[in-house]
């Protein structure tokens, strides 16, 4: 699957889908594992805090953010699972046109 940071026309002028972060779930999951500020969320994911700011603004997630989010939260899957939450792409992201 070709995941673009933003919807862009391809060579035929057709827009490609992009991946959006489900901010409400992201905030809930990260708060549960102790990351209650955007700076703490950035540290948890191992990314720059400005990336969290960008995600809040446009919700478009690139491959590196997707991988970092899933890996960091998968590390806490047992604690999240005890609350009935699973850690999967579909739980935290959606493909938008």
């Amino acid at each position: 699957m070709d995941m673009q940071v933003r919807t862009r026309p391809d060579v035929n002028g057709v827009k490609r889908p992009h991946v959006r972060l489900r901010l409400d779930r992201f905030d809930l999951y990260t708060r549960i594992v102790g990351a209650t500020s955007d700076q703490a969320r950035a540290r948890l994911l191992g990314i720059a805090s400005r990336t969290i700011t960008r995600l809040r603004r446009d919700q478009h997630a690139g491959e590196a953010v997707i991988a970092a989010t899933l890996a960091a939260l998968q590390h806490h899957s047992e604690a999240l699972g005890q609350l009935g939450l699973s850690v999967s792409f579909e739980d935290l992201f959606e493909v938008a046109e």
Side-chain angles (χ1 to χ4, degrees), residues 2-95:
D2 184 19
M3 292 186 249
Q4 298 294 313
V5 173
R6 300 185 192 283
T7 302
R8 295 184 178 145
D10 71 6
V11 293
N12 297 322
V14 177
K15 290 188 177 199
R16 297 182 200 177
H18 60 274
V19 176
R20 289 175 39 141
L21 177 65
R22 297 177 192 261
L23 280 173
D24 57 339
R25 293 183 188 175
F26 175 75
D27 287 346
L28 173 64
Y29 283 42
T30 54
R31 196 170 39 251
I32 289 169
V33 302
T36 58
S37 69
D38 284 349
Q39 292 77 19
R41 289 177 176 109
R43 282 191 302 275
L44 174 70
L45 274 57
I47 61 175
S49 59
R50 68 181 175 275
T51 302
I52 300 291
T53 302
R54 183 186 55 77
L55 284 169
R56 292 214 175 279
R57 186 180 61 244
D58 63 22
Q59 299 175 346
H60 297 173
E63 293 172 3
V65 170
I66 294 167
T69 301
L70 294 174
L73 292 175
Q74 189 64 42
H75 183 71
H76 298 279
S77 63
E78 187 175 324
L80 292 165
Q82 290 176 353
L83 297 171
L85 302 172
S86 62
V87 179
S88 71
F89 176 86
E90 293 79 15
D91 293 321
L92 293 157
F93 300 94
E94 65 183 337
V95 178

